[in-house]
Amino acid sequence: MNIDLEPYPGVDRVLDVRDGLPFENVEYVFSEHFLEHFDLDDGLALLRECRRVLREDGILRLTTPNLDWVWATSYSSRWTPESPTRATIDATEWRHDAAAARDCLTLNRAFRAWGHRFLYNRAMLEDALQAAGFAELVWCDYGRSEHLELRDLERHERSPDTPELPHVLVVEARGRGNNASSLNLAEYLRDLRVH
């Protein structure tokens, strides 16, 4: 069943998921490039709602842009060739030219374009899923799953990956955990509300 806020072709149910999901005992939930369109608090609530509607052995398959990839590729000229995941700290090497301005636009585009509200890296997504009550997380490659029903579902445009840094995070979350979170989000959420 395909859910959307708008009655686009192929949409089975029009609803705002922020109001909850009218389902129970669901075997699979698939969300592709969706979570990043919510503010963090609404995204966390959506993850909790997915855990609630899934049956005990149900699985949430989730894909979302990888913040670490966005950062690395937006500032690719500022990363050492030996290690594309380590920033050069020497401020004298940072450019102040048209390429640097283009990098600025690229990074802000990832955050602001397409309706994006909050981008996750792997550590943040892992913590968010555990806080939502999922016990087990399996990180997957694009289109790959040990479950036949969850294979080759992704349709979103792809960007170049590196072996150590995928452009999207793909995770399958299952089981019931203890809703543990290592994050203290109060300060972050407070600062978002400052006008």
Side-chain angles (χ1 to χ4, degrees), residues 144-172:
R144 304 267 170 102
S145 176
E146 63 184 55
H147 306 277
L148 183 62
E149 299 86 351
L150 298 176
R151 292 182 192 154
D152 298 316
L153 294 177
E154 289 81 13
R155 298 287 181 256
H156 200 274
E157 169 185 333
R158 294 190 70 180
S159 298
D161 286 328
T162 65
E164 66 280 349
L165 196 60
H167 75 289
V168 293
L169 300 169
V170 182
V171 63
E172 292 178 0

PDB file of all heavy atoms in Angstrom, residues 144-172:
ATOM      1  N   ARG A 144      19.641  -4.310  -1.896  1.00  0.00           N
ATOM      2  CA  ARG A 144      19.931  -5.648  -1.371  1.00  0.00           C
ATOM      3  C   ARG A 144      19.239  -5.869  -0.031  1.00  0.00           C
ATOM      4  O   ARG A 144      19.134  -4.972   0.787  1.00  0.00           O
ATOM      5  CB  ARG A 144      21.439  -5.812  -1.156  1.00  0.00           C
ATOM      6  CG  ARG A 144      22.278  -5.550  -2.368  1.00  0.00           C
ATOM      7  CD  ARG A 144      22.544  -6.835  -3.122  1.00  0.00           C
ATOM      8  NE  ARG A 144      23.156  -6.589  -4.399  1.00  0.00           N
ATOM      9  CZ  ARG A 144      24.427  -6.750  -4.670  1.00  0.00           C
ATOM     10  NH1 ARG A 144      25.258  -7.134  -3.732  1.00  0.00           N
ATOM     11  NH2 ARG A 144      24.885  -6.513  -5.879  1.00  0.00           N
ATOM     12  N   SER A 145      18.769  -7.100   0.155  1.00  0.00           N
ATOM     13  CA  SER A 145      18.149  -7.494   1.413  1.00  0.00           C
ATOM     14  C   SER A 145      18.163  -9.009   1.500  1.00  0.00           C
ATOM     15  O   SER A 145      18.134  -9.696   0.478  1.00  0.00           O
ATOM     16  CB  SER A 145      16.694  -7.002   1.482  1.00  0.00           C
ATOM     17  OG  SER A 145      16.071  -7.478   2.661  1.00  0.00           O
ATOM     18  N   GLU A 146      18.172  -9.531   2.717  1.00  0.00           N
ATOM     19  CA  GLU A 146      18.040 -10.976   2.881  1.00  0.00           C
ATOM     20  C   GLU A 146      16.577 -11.389   2.730  1.00  0.00           C
ATOM     21  O   GLU A 146      16.268 -12.568   2.638  1.00  0.00           O
ATOM     22  CB  GLU A 146      18.592 -11.429   4.232  1.00  0.00           C
ATOM     23  CG  GLU A 146      17.868 -10.870   5.430  1.00  0.00           C
ATOM     24  CD  GLU A 146      18.507 -11.265   6.747  1.00  0.00           C
ATOM     25  OE1 GLU A 146      19.710 -11.014   6.919  1.00  0.00           O
ATOM     26  OE2 GLU A 146      17.786 -11.826   7.597  1.00  0.00           O
ATOM     27  N   HIS A 147      15.672 -10.423   2.662  1.00  0.00           N
ATOM     28  CA  HIS A 147      14.243 -10.684   2.501  1.00  0.00           C
ATOM     29  C   HIS A 147      13.834 -10.379   1.057  1.00  0.00           C
ATOM     30  O   HIS A 147      13.964  -9.247   0.597  1.00  0.00           O
ATOM     31  CB  HIS A 147      13.422  -9.824   3.462  1.00  0.00           C
ATOM     32  CG  HIS A 147      13.846  -9.986   4.875  1.00  0.00           C
ATOM     33  ND1 HIS A 147      13.397 -11.019   5.670  1.00  0.00           N
ATOM     34  CD2 HIS A 147      14.721  -9.277   5.625  1.00  0.00           C
ATOM     35  CE1 HIS A 147      13.970 -10.927   6.859  1.00  0.00           C
ATOM     36  NE2 HIS A 147      14.774  -9.877   6.857  1.00  0.00           N
ATOM     37  N   LEU A 148      13.335 -11.362   0.375  1.00  0.00           N
ATOM     38  CA  LEU A 148      12.948 -11.228  -1.021  1.00  0.00           C
ATOM     39  C   LEU A 148      12.013 -10.033  -1.235  1.00  0.00           C
ATOM     40  O   LEU A 148      12.146  -9.282  -2.205  1.00  0.00           O
ATOM     41  CB  LEU A 148      12.289 -12.520  -1.516  1.00  0.00           C
ATOM     42  CG  LEU A 148      11.890 -12.553  -2.985  1.00  0.00           C
ATOM     43  CD1 LEU A 148      13.108 -12.403  -3.879  1.00  0.00           C
ATOM     44  CD2 LEU A 148      11.169 -13.863  -3.296  1.00  0.00           C
ATOM     45  N   GLU A 149      11.074  -9.829  -0.333  1.00  0.00           N
ATOM     46  CA  GLU A 149      10.087  -8.752  -0.463  1.00  0.00           C
ATOM     47  C   GLU A 149      10.706  -7.358  -0.376  1.00  0.00           C
ATOM     48  O   GLU A 149      10.087  -6.380  -0.801  1.00  0.00           O
ATOM     49  CB  GLU A 149       9.016  -8.867   0.635  1.00  0.00           C
ATOM     50  CG  GLU A 149       8.223 -10.152   0.597  1.00  0.00           C
ATOM     51  CD  GLU A 149       8.902 -11.301   1.357  1.00  0.00           C
ATOM     52  OE1 GLU A 149      10.070 -11.159   1.781  1.00  0.00           O
ATOM     53  OE2 GLU A 149       8.250 -12.346   1.507  1.00  0.00           O
ATOM     54  N   LEU A 150      11.904  -7.262   0.174  1.00  0.00           N
ATOM     55  CA  LEU A 150      12.538  -5.954   0.370  1.00  0.00           C
ATOM     56  C   LEU A 150      13.691  -5.696  -0.603  1.00  0.00           C
ATOM     57  O   LEU A 150      14.382  -4.684  -0.484  1.00  0.00           O
ATOM     58  CB  LEU A 150      13.036  -5.834   1.818  1.00  0.00           C
ATOM     59  CG  LEU A 150      11.942  -5.904   2.882  1.00  0.00           C
ATOM     60  CD1 LEU A 150      12.550  -5.874   4.277  1.00  0.00           C
ATOM     61  CD2 LEU A 150      10.931  -4.783   2.698  1.00  0.00           C
ATOM     62  N   ARG A 151      13.877  -6.568  -1.561  1.00  0.00           N
ATOM     63  CA  ARG A 151      14.948  -6.394  -2.549  1.00  0.00           C
ATOM     64  C   ARG A 151      14.508  -5.477  -3.687  1.00  0.00           C
ATOM     65  O   ARG A 151      13.365  -5.519  -4.118  1.00  0.00           O
ATOM     66  CB  ARG A 151      15.366  -7.738  -3.136  1.00  0.00           C
ATOM     67  CG  ARG A 151      16.055  -8.626  -2.152  1.00  0.00           C
ATOM     68  CD  ARG A 151      16.479  -9.928  -2.795  1.00  0.00           C
ATOM     69  NE  ARG A 151      16.877 -10.860  -1.752  1.00  0.00           N
ATOM     70  CZ  ARG A 151      16.835 -12.166  -1.865  1.00  0.00           C
ATOM     71  NH1 ARG A 151      16.445 -12.730  -3.003  1.00  0.00           N
ATOM     72  NH2 ARG A 151      17.208 -12.938  -0.866  1.00  0.00           N
ATOM     73  N   ASP A 152      15.459  -4.690  -4.154  1.00  0.00           N
ATOM     74  CA  ASP A 152      15.267  -3.849  -5.345  1.00  0.00           C
ATOM     75  C   ASP A 152      14.045  -2.946  -5.271  1.00  0.00           C
ATOM     76  O   ASP A 152      13.372  -2.700  -6.272  1.00  0.00           O
ATOM     77  CB  ASP A 152      15.201  -4.725  -6.610  1.00  0.00           C
ATOM     78  CG  ASP A 152      16.489  -5.494  -6.827  1.00  0.00           C
ATOM     79  OD1 ASP A 152      17.575  -4.888  -6.669  1.00  0.00           O
ATOM     80  OD2 ASP A 152      16.415  -6.698  -7.120  1.00  0.00           O
ATOM     81  N   LEU A 153      13.766  -2.408  -4.085  1.00  0.00           N
ATOM     82  CA  LEU A 153      12.641  -1.487  -3.927  1.00  0.00           C
ATOM     83  C   LEU A 153      13.030  -0.045  -4.233  1.00  0.00           C
ATOM     84  O   LEU A 153      12.184   0.749  -4.645  1.00  0.00           O
ATOM     85  CB  LEU A 153      12.093  -1.557  -2.496  1.00  0.00           C
ATOM     86  CG  LEU A 153      11.440  -2.864  -2.078  1.00  0.00           C
ATOM     87  CD1 LEU A 153      11.019  -2.789  -0.616  1.00  0.00           C
ATOM     88  CD2 LEU A 153      10.256  -3.177  -2.967  1.00  0.00           C
ATOM     89  N   GLU A 154      14.276   0.311  -4.014  1.00  0.00           N
ATOM     90  CA  GLU A 154      14.709   1.693  -4.167  1.00  0.00           C
ATOM     91  C   GLU A 154      14.587   2.138  -5.624  1.00  0.00           C
ATOM     92  O   GLU A 154      14.960   1.415  -6.541  1.00  0.00           O
ATOM     93  CB  GLU A 154      16.155   1.878  -3.689  1.00  0.00           C
ATOM     94  CG  GLU A 154      16.322   1.792  -2.186  1.00  0.00           C
ATOM     95  CD  GLU A 154      16.394   0.382  -1.638  1.00  0.00           C
ATOM     96  OE1 GLU A 154      16.568  -0.571  -2.409  1.00  0.00           O
ATOM     97  OE2 GLU A 154      16.274   0.223  -0.422  1.00  0.00           O
ATOM     98  N   ARG A 155      14.057   3.343  -5.807  1.00  0.00           N
ATOM     99  CA  ARG A 155      13.888   3.912  -7.140  1.00  0.00           C
ATOM    100  C   ARG A 155      14.508   5.304  -7.254  1.00  0.00           C
ATOM    101  O   ARG A 155      14.493   5.903  -8.314  1.00  0.00           O
ATOM    102  CB  ARG A 155      12.397   4.022  -7.489  1.00  0.00           C
ATOM    103  CG  ARG A 155      11.679   2.699  -7.528  1.00  0.00           C
ATOM    104  CD  ARG A 155      12.078   1.910  -8.757  1.00  0.00           C
ATOM    105  NE  ARG A 155      11.376   0.637  -8.814  1.00  0.00           N
ATOM    106  CZ  ARG A 155      11.935  -0.534  -8.519  1.00  0.00           C
ATOM    107  NH1 ARG A 155      13.182  -0.577  -8.126  1.00  0.00           N
ATOM    108  NH2 ARG A 155      11.261  -1.647  -8.611  1.00  0.00           N
ATOM    109  N   HIS A 156      15.013   5.801  -6.164  1.00  0.00           N
ATOM    110  CA  HIS A 156      15.537   7.170  -6.139  1.00  0.00           C
ATOM    111  C   HIS A 156      16.828   7.254  -6.942  1.00  0.00           C
ATOM    112  O   HIS A 156      17.606   6.306  -7.001  1.00  0.00           O
ATOM    113  CB  HIS A 156      15.791   7.598  -4.683  1.00  0.00           C
ATOM    114  CG  HIS A 156      15.870   9.067  -4.498  1.00  0.00           C
ATOM    115  ND1 HIS A 156      17.021   9.766  -4.660  1.00  0.00           N
ATOM    116  CD2 HIS A 156      14.914   9.966  -4.162  1.00  0.00           C
ATOM    117  CE1 HIS A 156      16.795  11.048  -4.428  1.00  0.00           C
ATOM    118  NE2 HIS A 156      15.529  11.197  -4.122  1.00  0.00           N
ATOM    119  N   GLU A 157      17.041   8.404  -7.532  1.00  0.00           N
ATOM    120  CA  GLU A 157      18.272   8.668  -8.275  1.00  0.00           C
ATOM    121  C   GLU A 157      19.499   8.360  -7.416  1.00  0.00           C
ATOM    122  O   GLU A 157      19.529   8.670  -6.235  1.00  0.00           O
ATOM    123  CB  GLU A 157      18.256  10.147  -8.665  1.00  0.00           C
ATOM    124  CG  GLU A 157      19.521  10.702  -9.203  1.00  0.00           C
ATOM    125  CD  GLU A 157      19.406  12.204  -9.424  1.00  0.00           C
ATOM    126  OE1 GLU A 157      18.295  12.711  -9.652  1.00  0.00           O
ATOM    127  OE2 GLU A 157      20.455  12.860  -9.351  1.00  0.00           O
ATOM    128  N   ARG A 158      20.505   7.758  -8.038  1.00  0.00           N
ATOM    129  CA  ARG A 158      21.710   7.384  -7.296  1.00  0.00           C
ATOM    130  C   ARG A 158      22.835   8.369  -7.557  1.00  0.00           C
ATOM    131  O   ARG A 158      22.908   8.973  -8.619  1.00  0.00           O
ATOM    132  CB  ARG A 158      22.153   5.981  -7.695  1.00  0.00           C
ATOM    133  CG  ARG A 158      21.129   4.936  -7.260  1.00  0.00           C
ATOM    134  CD  ARG A 158      21.629   3.558  -7.424  1.00  0.00           C
ATOM    135  NE  ARG A 158      22.679   3.307  -6.443  1.00  0.00           N
ATOM    136  CZ  ARG A 158      23.333   2.169  -6.337  1.00  0.00           C
ATOM    137  NH1 ARG A 158      23.031   1.172  -7.145  1.00  0.00           N
ATOM    138  NH2 ARG A 158      24.265   2.000  -5.442  1.00  0.00           N
ATOM    139  N   SER A 159      23.705   8.485  -6.576  1.00  0.00           N
ATOM    140  CA  SER A 159      24.923   9.282  -6.687  1.00  0.00           C
ATOM    141  C   SER A 159      26.105   8.359  -6.502  1.00  0.00           C
ATOM    142  O   SER A 159      25.959   7.263  -5.950  1.00  0.00           O
ATOM    143  CB  SER A 159      24.938  10.375  -5.609  1.00  0.00           C
ATOM    144  OG  SER A 159      23.852  11.257  -5.789  1.00  0.00           O
ATOM    145  N   PRO A 160      27.303   8.778  -6.930  1.00  0.00           N
ATOM    146  CA  PRO A 160      28.475   7.895  -6.788  1.00  0.00           C
ATOM    147  C   PRO A 160      28.810   7.616  -5.324  1.00  0.00           C
ATOM    148  O   PRO A 160      28.869   8.534  -4.519  1.00  0.00           O
ATOM    149  CB  PRO A 160      29.609   8.683  -7.449  1.00  0.00           C
ATOM    150  CG  PRO A 160      28.956   9.769  -8.229  1.00  0.00           C
ATOM    151  CD  PRO A 160      27.625  10.026  -7.600  1.00  0.00           C
ATOM    152  N   ASP A 161      28.975   6.353  -5.014  1.00  0.00           N
ATOM    153  CA  ASP A 161      29.383   5.918  -3.671  1.00  0.00           C
ATOM    154  C   ASP A 161      30.892   5.711  -3.646  1.00  0.00           C
ATOM    155  O   ASP A 161      31.530   5.607  -4.674  1.00  0.00           O
ATOM    156  CB  ASP A 161      28.750   4.560  -3.322  1.00  0.00           C
ATOM    157  CG  ASP A 161      27.275   4.655  -3.009  1.00  0.00           C
ATOM    158  OD1 ASP A 161      26.845   5.685  -2.475  1.00  0.00           O
ATOM    159  OD2 ASP A 161      26.562   3.689  -3.302  1.00  0.00           O
ATOM    160  N   THR A 162      31.415   5.624  -2.446  1.00  0.00           N
ATOM    161  CA  THR A 162      32.745   5.066  -2.241  1.00  0.00           C
ATOM    162  C   THR A 162      32.535   3.845  -1.352  1.00  0.00           C
ATOM    163  O   THR A 162      31.530   3.772  -0.649  1.00  0.00           O
ATOM    164  CB  THR A 162      33.694   6.072  -1.557  1.00  0.00           C
ATOM    165  OG1 THR A 162      33.208   6.333  -0.246  1.00  0.00           O
ATOM    166  CG2 THR A 162      33.796   7.375  -2.332  1.00  0.00           C
ATOM    167  N   PRO A 163      33.443   2.885  -1.369  1.00  0.00           N
ATOM    168  CA  PRO A 163      33.230   1.687  -0.551  1.00  0.00           C
ATOM    169  C   PRO A 163      33.021   1.990   0.925  1.00  0.00           C
ATOM    170  O   PRO A 163      32.229   1.329   1.597  1.00  0.00           O
ATOM    171  CB  PRO A 163      34.513   0.878  -0.762  1.00  0.00           C
ATOM    172  CG  PRO A 163      35.064   1.357  -2.052  1.00  0.00           C
ATOM    173  CD  PRO A 163      34.658   2.811  -2.172  1.00  0.00           C
ATOM    174  N   GLU A 164      33.686   3.014   1.427  1.00  0.00           N
ATOM    175  CA  GLU A 164      33.569   3.310   2.857  1.00  0.00           C
ATOM    176  C   GLU A 164      32.508   4.359   3.164  1.00  0.00           C
ATOM    177  O   GLU A 164      32.209   4.619   4.327  1.00  0.00           O
ATOM    178  CB  GLU A 164      34.920   3.761   3.416  1.00  0.00           C
ATOM    179  CG  GLU A 164      35.444   5.082   2.870  1.00  0.00           C
ATOM    180  CD  GLU A 164      36.117   4.978   1.499  1.00  0.00           C
ATOM    181  OE1 GLU A 164      36.380   3.868   1.020  1.00  0.00           O
ATOM    182  OE2 GLU A 164      36.367   6.035   0.915  1.00  0.00           O
ATOM    183  N   LEU A 165      31.911   4.962   2.128  1.00  0.00           N
ATOM    184  CA  LEU A 165      30.989   6.062   2.382  1.00  0.00           C
ATOM    185  C   LEU A 165      29.856   6.069   1.351  1.00  0.00           C
ATOM    186  O   LEU A 165      29.959   6.703   0.308  1.00  0.00           O
ATOM    187  CB  LEU A 165      31.762   7.389   2.337  1.00  0.00           C
ATOM    188  CG  LEU A 165      31.092   8.604   2.942  1.00  0.00           C
ATOM    189  CD1 LEU A 165      30.776   8.403   4.416  1.00  0.00           C
ATOM    190  CD2 LEU A 165      31.971   9.821   2.767  1.00  0.00           C
ATOM    191  N   PRO A 166      28.738   5.363   1.630  1.00  0.00           N
ATOM    192  CA  PRO A 166      27.618   5.340   0.685  1.00  0.00           C
ATOM    193  C   PRO A 166      26.871   6.678   0.678  1.00  0.00           C
ATOM    194  O   PRO A 166      26.834   7.383   1.675  1.00  0.00           O
ATOM    195  CB  PRO A 166      26.736   4.215   1.223  1.00  0.00           C
ATOM    196  CG  PRO A 166      27.031   4.184   2.686  1.00  0.00           C
ATOM    197  CD  PRO A 166      28.490   4.561   2.819  1.00  0.00           C
ATOM    198  N   HIS A 167      26.259   7.003  -0.450  1.00  0.00           N
ATOM    199  CA  HIS A 167      25.517   8.264  -0.558  1.00  0.00           C
ATOM    200  C   HIS A 167      24.180   8.211   0.185  1.00  0.00           C
ATOM    201  O   HIS A 167      23.652   9.241   0.578  1.00  0.00           O
ATOM    202  CB  HIS A 167      25.301   8.656  -2.019  1.00  0.00           C
ATOM    203  CG  HIS A 167      24.265   7.865  -2.747  1.00  0.00           C
ATOM    204  ND1 HIS A 167      24.441   6.558  -3.116  1.00  0.00           N
ATOM    205  CD2 HIS A 167      23.030   8.203  -3.160  1.00  0.00           C
ATOM    206  CE1 HIS A 167      23.358   6.125  -3.732  1.00  0.00           C
ATOM    207  NE2 HIS A 167      22.490   7.103  -3.776  1.00  0.00           N
ATOM    208  N   VAL A 168      23.622   7.013   0.339  1.00  0.00           N
ATOM    209  CA  VAL A 168      22.405   6.852   1.137  1.00  0.00           C
ATOM    210  C   VAL A 168      22.645   5.796   2.203  1.00  0.00           C
ATOM    211  O   VAL A 168      23.440   4.875   2.017  1.00  0.00           O
ATOM    212  CB  VAL A 168      21.169   6.449   0.303  1.00  0.00           C
ATOM    213  CG1 VAL A 168      20.745   7.544  -0.640  1.00  0.00           C
ATOM    214  CG2 VAL A 168      21.379   5.158  -0.418  1.00  0.00           C
ATOM    215  N   LEU A 169      21.960   5.970   3.299  1.00  0.00           N
ATOM    216  CA  LEU A 169      21.957   4.967   4.353  1.00  0.00           C
ATOM    217  C   LEU A 169      20.761   4.065   4.101  1.00  0.00           C
ATOM    218  O   LEU A 169      19.643   4.558   3.891  1.00  0.00           O
ATOM    219  CB  LEU A 169      21.835   5.632   5.720  1.00  0.00           C
ATOM    220  CG  LEU A 169      22.960   6.598   6.078  1.00  0.00           C
ATOM    221  CD1 LEU A 169      22.589   7.401   7.320  1.00  0.00           C
ATOM    222  CD2 LEU A 169      24.257   5.850   6.276  1.00  0.00           C
ATOM    223  N   VAL A 170      20.991   2.777   4.084  1.00  0.00           N
ATOM    224  CA  VAL A 170      19.918   1.799   3.905  1.00  0.00           C
ATOM    225  C   VAL A 170      19.977   0.867   5.105  1.00  0.00           C
ATOM    226  O   VAL A 170      20.995   0.210   5.338  1.00  0.00           O
ATOM    227  CB  VAL A 170      20.080   0.998   2.599  1.00  0.00           C
ATOM    228  CG1 VAL A 170      18.916   0.032   2.424  1.00  0.00           C
ATOM    229  CG2 VAL A 170      20.217   1.922   1.393  1.00  0.00           C
ATOM    230  N   VAL A 171      18.896   0.824   5.861  1.00  0.00           N
ATOM    231  CA  VAL A 171      18.878   0.022   7.078  1.00  0.00           C
ATOM    232  C   VAL A 171      17.551  -0.712   7.179  1.00  0.00           C
ATOM    233  O   VAL A 171      16.511  -0.212   6.742  1.00  0.00           O
ATOM    234  CB  VAL A 171      19.118   0.906   8.328  1.00  0.00           C
ATOM    235  CG1 VAL A 171      18.017   1.930   8.520  1.00  0.00           C
ATOM    236  CG2 VAL A 171      19.332   0.073   9.578  1.00  0.00           C
ATOM    237  N   GLU A 172      17.618  -1.911   7.723  1.00  0.00           N
ATOM    238  CA  GLU A 172      16.422  -2.663   8.073  1.00  0.00           C
ATOM    239  C   GLU A 172      16.405  -2.800   9.586  1.00  0.00           C
ATOM    240  O   GLU A 172      17.353  -3.316  10.178  1.00  0.00           O
ATOM    241  CB  GLU A 172      16.412  -4.023   7.377  1.00  0.00           C
ATOM    242  CG  GLU A 172      16.242  -3.884   5.873  1.00  0.00           C
ATOM    243  CD  GLU A 172      16.270  -5.189   5.119  1.00  0.00           C
ATOM    244  OE1 GLU A 172      16.426  -6.266   5.753  1.00  0.00           O
ATOM    245  OE2 GLU A 172      16.146  -5.149   3.877  1.00  0.00           O
TER     246      GLU A 172
END
